[in-house]
Amino acid sequence: MRQDTTGGTPLTLLGLGAMGTALARAWLAAGHPLTVWNRTAARAEPLAAEGVTVAATAAEAVAANGLVVVCLLDDASVRQALAGADLAGRDLVNLTTGTPGQARDLADWAHERGARFNGGGVMAVPRMIGVPGSGGYVFYSGSRELFEAHRDVLAVPAGARYVGTDPGFAALHDVALLSAMTGMFAGIAHAFALIRRETIAPGDLAPLLADWLGAMAASSVHLTAAQLASGDYVTGTGSNLAMMVAANDTLRRTAQEQGVGAELLQPYLTLMARRLADGHGAESGTGVVDLLTG
Ligand code: NDP
């Protein structure tokens, strides 16, 4: 069905993968005239039938509108796609996942070509895009003027959270959250491995794990933040490092008894033991942050 897009702010979108297509449909449904480009033209055909304008080249799509959103595979694909485009006077928003350094370099490159720039970090999967209340949102950073000018349009697919003028900060927030999630996934894999050969059903452990992880995350992230801010890693500590390192031996031995590799746990346990050996037994685990940053 064709959408009525009269009256909405027009914009350009480069990239119609799973995420780009979801973004396109959200803007279209909200009445924003949309010009799109995708390397593989066939992927744009369903959207063309829904009222999107399909450009033959990325340069043509960039020329069509002041606001240009990019959602491609990686930094290299963004560089390739934008290579021949005239960015003068454009507001470029890059929602492609990348590192903070890549975002800063791209911002410099865009500024040299006369564009304003925002980097982005999408904290959502495609099915959450354009769904109010899904909990999905996007980090933005870089030009405050760009963000303020387009805040309403950017907030259409998912909540828009501006995290500072440094164009790398959106990526840094994104990767900080993804890194924490990765550690959590490692812990979940280890927990299920421990019960794998037993008569405990994974489905019985699942709700216990979910509740426990939620409760532990809620308390530990705030304690860690407060201790890092004050520099006092003892005040507020309920579980001290000396006790936790002793308990870690039980974690290691249980893995051994169950025939489970400890390679996911061991790096963290090693850092905790090092911090204890440095004489910080009364602290929480916050000092591990200092070990990582050197
Ligand atoms: P897809 O793999 O579905 O799509 C990749 C897109 O990049 C396609 O449009 C593809 O074009 C294009 N592309 C790849 N290489 C090039 C190139 N060299 N030149 C031009 N275009 C290229 O990925 P998603 O849409 O899922 O992800 C897009 C971005 O969004 C990624 O950075 C991803 O990390 C991020 N993201 C994705 C999430 C998800 O759950 N999907 C969640 C959060 C962020 P073609 O169709 O021609 O192959």
Side-chain angles (χ1 to χ4, degrees), residues 233-284:
Y233 298 174
V234 174
T235 303
T237 294
S239 311
N240 69 56
L241 200 60
M243 177 281 289
M244 287 194 287
V245 170
N248 286 348
D249 194 46
T250 303
L251 303 195
R252 238 186 323 258
R253 289 174 62 159
T254 303
Q256 226 167 27
E257 284 178 17
Q258 296 301 107
V260 169
E263 57 259 59
L264 292 176
L265 289 187
Q266 194 54 55
Y268 186 57
L269 303 190
T270 301
L271 285 170
M272 291 172 83
R274 249 177 71 197
R275 184 74 182 168
L276 177 65
D278 290 344
H280 299 283
E283 293 180 359
S284 68

Side-chain angles (χ1 to χ4, degrees), residues 16-19 38-40 43 72-73 77 80 96-97 122 124 126:
L16 294 175
M19 184 56 76
N38 194 61
R39 181 181 59 176
T40 307
R43 267 180 131 164
L72 296 169
L73 184 64
S77 53
Q80 267 178 26
T96 307
T97 302
V122 181

Side-chain angles (χ1 to χ4, degrees), residues 184 188 191-192 202-220:
M184 182 187 74
I188 292 170
F192 278 115
D204 289 343
L205 189 69
L208 304 173
L209 265 181
D211 287 353
W212 179 247
L213 290 176
M216 289 298 100
S219 57
S220 74

Side-chain angles (χ1 to χ4, degrees), residues 47-207:
L47 285 164
E50 294 168 36
V52 158
T53 303
V54 180
T57 64
E60 189 184 309
V62 169
N65 292 300
L67 175 59
V68 177
V69 178
V70 184
C71 187
L72 296 169
L73 184 64
D74 56 12
D75 187 61
S77 53
V78 174
R79 295 300 190 135
Q80 267 178 26
L82 290 177
D86 179 4
L87 289 177
R90 292 292 171 265
D91 282 341
L92 181 65
V93 177
N94 183 27
L95 300 187
T96 307
T97 302
T99 71
Q102 287 170 336
R104 288 168 185 148
D105 288 350
L106 187 63
D108 288 345
W109 183 85
H111 293 155
E112 283 162 17
R113 281 155 186 77
R116 296 191 294 192
F117 180 84
N118 263 203
V122 181
M123 307 311 298
V125 294
R127 69 178 156 73
M128 297 162 86
I129 298 296
V131 179
S134 71
Y137 64 88
V138 180
F139 289 122
Y140 292 94
S141 72
S143 163
R144 188 182 296 278
E145 294 74 21
L146 183 161
F147 182 76
E148 294 299 341
H150 301 296
R151 177 197 288 267
D152 292 346
V153 182
L154 296 176
V156 165
R161 297 190 186 192
Y162 181 76
V163 288
T165 55
D166 185 325
F169 272 15
L172 190 53
H173 281 74
D174 181 351
V175 174
L177 267 56
L178 292 180
S179 300
M181 178 190 77
T182 301
M184 182 187 74
F185 286 165
I188 292 170
H190 187 85
F192 278 115
L194 287 178
I195 64 150
R196 188 73 174 136
R197 296 195 194 91
E198 305 287 352
T199 55
I200 302 167
D204 289 343
L205 189 69

